[in-house]
Amino acid sequence: MELNLTGKIAVVTGGSKGIGLATVRTLRAEGAHVVVASRKSSAELDALAGPGLVHVPADLTDSDAPAAVVAHAVEVFGGLDVLVNNAGGPPPGVSLPRFSFLPLTDADWRDMFEFNLFSAVRAIRAAIPVMVERGGGSIVNVSSAVARQPGAMNADYAAAKAALTNLTKALSEEFAPQGVRVNTVSPGPVRTPWWTDEGGAADVLAAAFGTERDAVLERVAPEAMALKTGRLLEPQEVADMIALLASPRSASTTGADVLVDGGFHKAV
């Protein structure tokens, strides 16, 4: 399918690895110019280097950083058509999952919301005026299936993502008449560095369940989360949906929350 993204200007936060990297790769393959915001680059991102790709080193929990990234896109490429708020997950220095609400401090809650909600709020605040001036655009916020199906683990993360999903629908109501579509993609568990890095979710769950990390990735986690596909998702599967929502081919889709979760979410 031709997504009609050639020449479009996109910002992708958290774009050096995982879902963000897959999204950057997909948007570039579709002909978009992409500004990538992340704390540091990666070998995989560097391999995509070219005139249509710019990396901006940024700590998105810095209150000034998201607007600076948007401003850089305008300066380098002349505008902004697509914003993908992908940055999220464990704040720097934090390993998830966490198994109880009670140990979480006010600082833990603030850090989680800064990274998973307020960084997106600030990027959107900067992006919408630029998009409206250009006649419209698409914002895709990467939420999570746990925003709809909370559990005992990671209460702060689920709450932050639920807020992002709610915000998305509110923004879609206000700005659709001005040509700005706002949607969420809500992944289930995805085989990203969050899971696979040393000390990541696979190691945390392996210690909790008394098993090996490979068993967690291949069998234990999919079974525990009742994934009907029987496996963790691949980043590209989420990136494909993000690209479709970013595309003019989704011109009548706004305020949607699209689950890409392997059957994790069970409710209607």
PDB file of all heavy atoms in Angstrom, residues 142-158:
ATOM      1  N   VAL A 142       2.070   6.690  21.399  1.00  0.00           N
ATOM      2  CA  VAL A 142       2.238   5.274  21.723  1.00  0.00           C
ATOM      3  C   VAL A 142       1.878   5.079  23.188  1.00  0.00           C
ATOM      4  O   VAL A 142       2.614   5.484  24.089  1.00  0.00           O
ATOM      5  CB  VAL A 142       3.660   4.799  21.422  1.00  0.00           C
ATOM      6  CG1 VAL A 142       3.807   3.318  21.778  1.00  0.00           C
ATOM      7  CG2 VAL A 142       3.986   5.007  19.941  1.00  0.00           C
ATOM      8  N   SER A 143       0.728   4.480  23.415  1.00  0.00           N
ATOM      9  CA  SER A 143       0.241   4.200  24.757  1.00  0.00           C
ATOM     10  C   SER A 143       0.594   2.756  25.108  1.00  0.00           C
ATOM     11  O   SER A 143       1.694   2.285  24.802  1.00  0.00           O
ATOM     12  CB  SER A 143      -1.263   4.470  24.828  1.00  0.00           C
ATOM     13  OG  SER A 143      -1.753   4.282  26.142  1.00  0.00           O
ATOM     14  N   SER A 144      -0.311   2.033  25.711  1.00  0.00           N
ATOM     15  CA  SER A 144      -0.060   0.638  26.094  1.00  0.00           C
ATOM     16  C   SER A 144      -1.384  -0.057  26.318  1.00  0.00           C
ATOM     17  O   SER A 144      -2.370   0.569  26.760  1.00  0.00           O
ATOM     18  CB  SER A 144       0.774   0.572  27.376  1.00  0.00           C
ATOM     19  OG  SER A 144       0.835  -0.760  27.862  1.00  0.00           O
ATOM     20  N   ALA A 145      -1.407  -1.355  26.061  1.00  0.00           N
ATOM     21  CA  ALA A 145      -2.613  -2.132  26.331  1.00  0.00           C
ATOM     22  C   ALA A 145      -2.983  -2.115  27.808  1.00  0.00           C
ATOM     23  O   ALA A 145      -4.161  -2.252  28.160  1.00  0.00           O
ATOM     24  CB  ALA A 145      -2.424  -3.569  25.848  1.00  0.00           C
ATOM     25  N   VAL A 146      -2.002  -1.904  28.691  1.00  0.00           N
ATOM     26  CA  VAL A 146      -2.333  -1.866  30.126  1.00  0.00           C
ATOM     27  C   VAL A 146      -3.067  -0.594  30.517  1.00  0.00           C
ATOM     28  O   VAL A 146      -3.596  -0.502  31.619  1.00  0.00           O
ATOM     29  CB  VAL A 146      -1.078  -2.055  31.003  1.00  0.00           C
ATOM     30  CG1 VAL A 146      -0.421  -3.391  30.733  1.00  0.00           C
ATOM     31  CG2 VAL A 146      -0.097  -0.909  30.852  1.00  0.00           C
ATOM     32  N   ALA A 147      -3.110   0.395  29.618  1.00  0.00           N
ATOM     33  CA  ALA A 147      -3.941   1.568  29.888  1.00  0.00           C
ATOM     34  C   ALA A 147      -5.405   1.185  29.963  1.00  0.00           C
ATOM     35  O   ALA A 147      -6.201   1.840  30.657  1.00  0.00           O
ATOM     36  CB  ALA A 147      -3.731   2.622  28.803  1.00  0.00           C
ATOM     37  N   ARG A 148      -5.788   0.143  29.232  1.00  0.00           N
ATOM     38  CA  ARG A 148      -7.167  -0.344  29.247  1.00  0.00           C
ATOM     39  C   ARG A 148      -7.372  -1.549  30.154  1.00  0.00           C
ATOM     40  O   ARG A 148      -8.486  -1.815  30.591  1.00  0.00           O
ATOM     41  CB  ARG A 148      -7.581  -0.773  27.843  1.00  0.00           C
ATOM     42  CG  ARG A 148      -7.765   0.323  26.845  1.00  0.00           C
ATOM     43  CD  ARG A 148      -8.713  -0.184  25.772  1.00  0.00           C
ATOM     44  NE  ARG A 148      -8.354   0.257  24.448  1.00  0.00           N
ATOM     45  CZ  ARG A 148      -8.973  -0.171  23.358  1.00  0.00           C
ATOM     46  NH1 ARG A 148      -9.926  -1.080  23.444  1.00  0.00           N
ATOM     47  NH2 ARG A 148      -8.625   0.273  22.174  1.00  0.00           N
ATOM     48  N   GLN A 149      -6.309  -2.294  30.394  1.00  0.00           N
ATOM     49  CA  GLN A 149      -6.426  -3.521  31.179  1.00  0.00           C
ATOM     50  C   GLN A 149      -5.376  -3.502  32.286  1.00  0.00           C
ATOM     51  O   GLN A 149      -4.358  -4.172  32.211  1.00  0.00           O
ATOM     52  CB  GLN A 149      -6.240  -4.760  30.295  1.00  0.00           C
ATOM     53  CG  GLN A 149      -6.515  -6.072  31.010  1.00  0.00           C
ATOM     54  CD  GLN A 149      -6.768  -7.190  30.025  1.00  0.00           C
ATOM     55  OE1 GLN A 149      -7.613  -7.066  29.144  1.00  0.00           O
ATOM     56  NE2 GLN A 149      -6.046  -8.285  30.146  1.00  0.00           N
ATOM     57  N   PRO A 150      -5.628  -2.727  33.340  1.00  0.00           N
ATOM     58  CA  PRO A 150      -4.644  -2.613  34.414  1.00  0.00           C
ATOM     59  C   PRO A 150      -4.557  -3.903  35.229  1.00  0.00           C
ATOM     60  O   PRO A 150      -5.476  -4.712  35.259  1.00  0.00           O
ATOM     61  CB  PRO A 150      -5.178  -1.456  35.261  1.00  0.00           C
ATOM     62  CG  PRO A 150      -6.650  -1.458  34.996  1.00  0.00           C
ATOM     63  CD  PRO A 150      -6.819  -1.911  33.586  1.00  0.00           C
ATOM     64  N   GLY A 151      -3.431  -4.061  35.886  1.00  0.00           N
ATOM     65  CA  GLY A 151      -3.221  -5.206  36.772  1.00  0.00           C
ATOM     66  C   GLY A 151      -2.456  -4.768  38.002  1.00  0.00           C
ATOM     67  O   GLY A 151      -2.258  -3.576  38.246  1.00  0.00           O
ATOM     68  N   ALA A 152      -1.990  -5.732  38.758  1.00  0.00           N
ATOM     69  CA  ALA A 152      -1.328  -5.416  40.028  1.00  0.00           C
ATOM     70  C   ALA A 152       0.070  -4.845  39.830  1.00  0.00           C
ATOM     71  O   ALA A 152       0.594  -4.168  40.723  1.00  0.00           O
ATOM     72  CB  ALA A 152      -1.256  -6.674  40.888  1.00  0.00           C
ATOM     73  N   MET A 153       0.694  -5.102  38.700  1.00  0.00           N
ATOM     74  CA  MET A 153       2.049  -4.610  38.462  1.00  0.00           C
ATOM     75  C   MET A 153       2.028  -3.251  37.769  1.00  0.00           C
ATOM     76  O   MET A 153       1.108  -2.936  37.031  1.00  0.00           O
ATOM     77  CB  MET A 153       2.831  -5.612  37.607  1.00  0.00           C
ATOM     78  CG  MET A 153       3.074  -6.945  38.281  1.00  0.00           C
ATOM     79  SD  MET A 153       4.265  -8.003  37.388  1.00  0.00           S
ATOM     80  CE  MET A 153       3.398  -8.299  35.857  1.00  0.00           C
ATOM     81  N   ASN A 154       3.062  -2.461  38.046  1.00  0.00           N
ATOM     82  CA  ASN A 154       3.328  -1.229  37.282  1.00  0.00           C
ATOM     83  C   ASN A 154       2.146  -0.260  37.303  1.00  0.00           C
ATOM     84  O   ASN A 154       1.735   0.286  36.269  1.00  0.00           O
ATOM     85  CB  ASN A 154       3.681  -1.565  35.825  1.00  0.00           C
ATOM     86  CG  ASN A 154       4.868  -2.489  35.710  1.00  0.00           C
ATOM     87  OD1 ASN A 154       5.787  -2.445  36.522  1.00  0.00           O
ATOM     88  ND2 ASN A 154       4.847  -3.349  34.703  1.00  0.00           N
ATOM     89  N   ALA A 155       1.605  -0.013  38.493  1.00  0.00           N
ATOM     90  CA  ALA A 155       0.437   0.868  38.596  1.00  0.00           C
ATOM     91  C   ALA A 155       0.728   2.261  38.077  1.00  0.00           C
ATOM     92  O   ALA A 155      -0.130   2.887  37.440  1.00  0.00           O
ATOM     93  CB  ALA A 155      -0.023   0.938  40.054  1.00  0.00           C
ATOM     94  N   ASP A 156       1.924   2.773  38.339  1.00  0.00           N
ATOM     95  CA  ASP A 156       2.262   4.130  37.903  1.00  0.00           C
ATOM     96  C   ASP A 156       2.374   4.212  36.382  1.00  0.00           C
ATOM     97  O   ASP A 156       1.887   5.170  35.769  1.00  0.00           O
ATOM     98  CB  ASP A 156       3.552   4.615  38.571  1.00  0.00           C
ATOM     99  CG  ASP A 156       4.718   3.637  38.438  1.00  0.00           C
ATOM    100  OD1 ASP A 156       4.485   2.445  38.114  1.00  0.00           O
ATOM    101  OD2 ASP A 156       5.878   4.050  38.666  1.00  0.00           O
ATOM    102  N   TYR A 157       2.976   3.201  35.767  1.00  0.00           N
ATOM    103  CA  TYR A 157       3.105   3.174  34.317  1.00  0.00           C
ATOM    104  C   TYR A 157       1.730   3.080  33.648  1.00  0.00           C
ATOM    105  O   TYR A 157       1.427   3.821  32.701  1.00  0.00           O
ATOM    106  CB  TYR A 157       3.980   1.988  33.902  1.00  0.00           C
ATOM    107  CG  TYR A 157       4.056   1.765  32.417  1.00  0.00           C
ATOM    108  CD1 TYR A 157       4.780   2.618  31.603  1.00  0.00           C
ATOM    109  CD2 TYR A 157       3.401   0.681  31.825  1.00  0.00           C
ATOM    110  CE1 TYR A 157       4.853   2.412  30.228  1.00  0.00           C
ATOM    111  CE2 TYR A 157       3.471   0.469  30.454  1.00  0.00           C
ATOM    112  CZ  TYR A 157       4.194   1.329  29.668  1.00  0.00           C
ATOM    113  OH  TYR A 157       4.254   1.125  28.322  1.00  0.00           O
ATOM    114  N   ALA A 158       0.890   2.186  34.147  1.00  0.00           N
ATOM    115  CA  ALA A 158      -0.442   2.026  33.565  1.00  0.00           C
ATOM    116  C   ALA A 158      -1.256   3.309  33.698  1.00  0.00           C
ATOM    117  O   ALA A 158      -1.978   3.694  32.773  1.00  0.00           O
ATOM    118  CB  ALA A 158      -1.171   0.858  34.238  1.00  0.00           C
TER     119      ALA A 158
END
